Amino acid sequence: MSLHRGAPPSHDGSDEHSAEMRRLSLNPFYGAADPVGDMTSAPPLHRLADGPMPPSTAYQLVHDELLLDGNSRLNLATFVTTWMEPQAGILMGECRDKNMIDKDEYPRTAELERRCVAMLADLWNAPDPVTAVGCSTTGSSEACMLAGLALKRRWATRNAARYPATARPNLVMGINVQVCWEKFCNFWEVEMRQVPMEGDRFHLDPQAAADLCDENTIGVVAVLGSTFDGSYEPVAELCAALDALQERTGFDVPVHVDGASGAMVAPFLDEDLVWDFRLPRVSSINTSGHKYGLVYPGVGWALWRSPAELPEELVFRVNYLGGEMPTFALNFSRPGAQVVAQYYTFLRLGWDGYRAVQQTARDIATRLSARIGAMAEFRLLTRGDELPVFAFTTAPGVTNFDVFDVSRRLRERGWLVPAYTFPANREDLDVLRVVCRNGFSADLAELLIDDLQKLLPELRAQDHPLARDKTAATSFHH
């Protein structure tokens, strides 16, 4: 959650000017009955108003201000779902007042959550989907926190004689991980050990990760679908490297798969790819229901292969239908709407439906990337053939504009395409990334290509790149 500091300064410091602007900020037609009756009820900015205003007026004021937000359907930076069927929206509206934490008051909502966990355990090939444990969260970030907490607690229990007096736990991951893993290590005092990028490898290297492990390693995080370029990390190869490490040293290091996006793509499109609970070393998996799970934000899921991977002391039990229901979460009060929407989507699509949706997204991504890769000005880094996500940069020899100029000019036409710099050891590489989601149609992809082609003559005419400060030119959002 962003931190905000106080109020912005007045532009001219004039109280009289400020009062006049506030008086003029309300359209007379917004008055409930008298066109001039609400002219003094300008929207409050920094303190509560003295009294109420009609609901239609309040709605219109907020609605008008939000017109300045970008169009979410044209936001090719976000992985988050921006379109659902109207029926899903109706269901969510009916459930937004149900508090997920109140399992006994809303037993059917709790039952739908349980069914979703069971379906995901089956989808991810848990040894026994009936005994696999899991929970809903507000998103994959909370799910990662829970998975990391379970890894740390299991390690601390095994090393009770040394921890916390002499042993500091560490967690190994690629430098391309989502920022939530940095937060986890910071919040729970775990040393973060990161495998840097090298050459054309933009994610974790299995052997390099194993080499960073020692007796204090609580686990290794593998990302199924890197946010930087859409590529899958080699989970099976990582597990094999850790198997060899255990044979040499005795270190038994579990793997958590951060499948924020890929865990809802690979099961349907890459059935032969072994990355999930079929690998005995994979102890837990998370995903975002609100990404390629196809649900509006925010819902995520965390699952453990069996009760043994989730320490019992982390689980709280609440009364549910006269019995006990185990719960594990960082958040408490939150609406049940997103969980209901997830079950609706599972029910609505089934396996074949999910496969069709994800295949369509991948087909659009690969065709769009091929069109861009065919342009002389650009060079593809990935093609969108794993996650429906691809990254590209300017071609060698292009010196009069850069990716930040492209991002800025596309934004002028409504497209939000992030430009950003890769981390160590590839800080020399600036890229653009496109996320193809359900709702980003082939027609929209054609419009993007048309706009990009229209911009290129103007970009070629530049003398040099315009974005001097790369950090100010654009931003990269996971």
Side-chain angles (χ1 to χ4, degrees):
M1 181 179 294
S2 300
L3 296 176
H4 301 280
R5 301 178 185 273
S10 173
H11 292 294
D12 64 357
S14 168
D15 291 341
E16 181 179 349
H17 172 78
S18 178
E20 181 65 7
M21 288 302 296
R22 285 169 57 78
R23 185 185 71 81
L24 296 175
S25 65
L26 191 63
N27 187 316
F29 281 97
Y30 292 174
D34 180 358
V36 299
D38 285 334
M39 288 292 284
T40 60
S41 301
L45 300 180
H46 312 306
R47 59 181 293 273
L48 286 174
D50 293 333
M53 66 173 60
S56 58
T57 304
Y59 165 81
Q60 196 67 51
L61 289 171
V62 177
H63 171 83
D64 288 356
E65 185 157 346
L66 293 177
L67 290 173
L68 295 176
D69 275 348
N71 185 326
S72 62
R73 293 282 295 279
L74 301 183
N75 182 1
L76 303 184
T78 184
F79 287 76
V80 173
T81 294
T82 56
W83 181 87
M84 291 188 76
E85 294 172 308
Q87 292 86 347
I90 293 171
L91 269 177
M92 293 181 75
E94 294 171 351
C95 299
R96 61 192 171 200
D97 59 342
K98 296 182 179 180
N99 190 354
M100 274 301 303
I101 200 65
D102 295 332
K103 309 292 186 184
D104 53 341
E105 285 92 342
Y106 307 114
R108 301 321 302 172
T109 302
E111 169 61 16
L112 298 189
E113 179 186 28
R114 186 201 64 77
R115 293 180 193 174
C116 288
V117 168
M119 291 175 179
L120 289 171
D122 178 73
L123 186 67
W124 296 339
N125 295 291
D128 183 3
V130 175
T131 62
V133 293
C135 61
S136 67
T137 63
T138 55
S140 55
S141 293
E142 182 190 0
C144 290
M145 298 282 177
L146 298 177
L149 187 56
L151 290 174
K152 182 181 179 183
R153 185 62 61 90
R154 288 175 61 199
W155 172 88
T157 300
R158 293 194 305 268
N159 295 274
R162 299 187 305 117
Y163 176 77
T166 60
R168 184 187 180 195
N170 65 74
L171 182 64
V172 175
M173 64 197 77
I175 200 167
N176 56 303
V177 294
Q178 213 262 9
V179 69
C180 69
W181 288 107
E182 298 179 39
K183 292 182 178 180
F184 166 77
C185 291
N186 188 347
F187 295 166
W188 275 276
E189 298 181 331
V190 173
E191 177 191 355
M192 182 169 58
R193 296 184 177 180
Q194 293 185 302
V195 177
M197 296 179 177
E198 293 291 347
D200 292 331
R201 175 181 57 77
F202 304 128
H203 55 228
L204 175 145
D205 173 74
Q207 188 56 53
D211 291 343
L212 290 176
C213 295
D214 58 24
E215 62 185 357
N216 294 325
T217 301
I218 65 175
V220 179
V221 176
V223 180
L224 194 71
S226 172
T227 57
F228 279 86
D229 64 352
S231 61
Y232 293 159
E233 291 191 331
V235 183
E237 289 86 342
L238 172 63
C239 290
L242 294 175
D243 289 342
L245 176 71
Q246 184 175 5
E247 291 179 7
R248 295 194 311 270
T249 66
F251 301 151
D252 185 8
V253 180
V255 169
H256 172 79
V257 177
D258 182 351
S261 294
M264 293 305 296
V265 174
F268 306 106
L269 302 186
D270 307 293
E271 294 181 77
D272 295 332
L273 180 67
V274 179
W275 63 272
D276 52 18
F277 289 129
R278 287 170 288 183
L279 298 167
R281 198 166 288 278
V282 173
S283 65
S284 51
I285 301 172
N286 73 274
T287 197
S288 285
H290 60 231
K291 293 180 180 174
Y292 287 97
L294 309 180
V295 175
Y296 285 139
V299 61
W301 302 92
L303 270 72
W304 290 262
R305 68 181 300 116
S306 73
E309 278 72 31
L310 180 59
E312 178 64 26
E313 63 267 25
L314 295 178
V315 179
F316 291 82
R317 300 187 179 278
V318 297
N319 183 272
Y320 170 61
L321 292 179
E324 284 188 332
M325 169 174 276
T327 65
F328 183 32
L330 297 178
N331 288 284
F332 290 86
S333 295
R334 57 187 175 92
Q338 285 79 8
V339 168
V340 170
Q342 183 74 84
Y343 182 71
Y344 165 86
T345 307
F346 285 169
L347 190 67
R348 170 76 172 88
L349 292 178
W351 197 95
D352 288 341
Y354 261 98
R355 186 185 188 285
V357 170
Q358 311 301 34
Q359 186 66 60
T360 298
R362 180 179 283 183
D363 288 346
I364 290 173
T366 55
R367 284 164 172 73
L368 179 59
S369 67
R371 295 281 302 279
I372 292 175
M375 298 179 183
E377 290 81 4
F378 299 113
R379 176 172 67 90
L380 286 179
L381 301 181
T382 49
R383 301 189 304 113
D385 56 349
E386 292 182 323
L387 283 190
V389 174
F390 63 92
F392 61 102
T393 187
T394 50
V398 174
T399 59
N400 47 342
F401 66 91
D402 58 18
V403 296
F404 301 96
D405 290 330
V406 176
S407 177
R408 175 179 54 81
R409 293 304 306 275
L410 285 173
R411 183 180 288 266
E412 293 173 0
R413 295 174 179 261
W415 299 103
L416 304 180
V417 179
Y420 52 93
T421 301
F422 271 20
N425 291 333
R426 290 306 313 267
E427 295 98 328
D428 60 306
L429 185 57
D430 301 327
V431 306
L432 293 146
R433 186 199 65 200
V434 173
V435 178
C436 297
R437 306 178 308 278
N438 184 39
F440 180 66
S441 64
D443 289 341
L444 287 175
E446 284 295 325
L447 292 175
L448 175 64
I449 288 292
D450 288 345
D451 282 341
L452 187 57
Q453 290 174 331
K454 290 174 182 176
L455 294 175
L456 285 175
E458 300 174 20
L459 292 171
R460 294 189 200 106
Q462 293 181 182
D463 294 329
H464 53 72
L466 300 182
R468 299 300 187 186
D469 182 359
K470 293 180 180 180
T471 61
T474 188
S475 58
F476 169 50
H477 300 286
H478 291 285

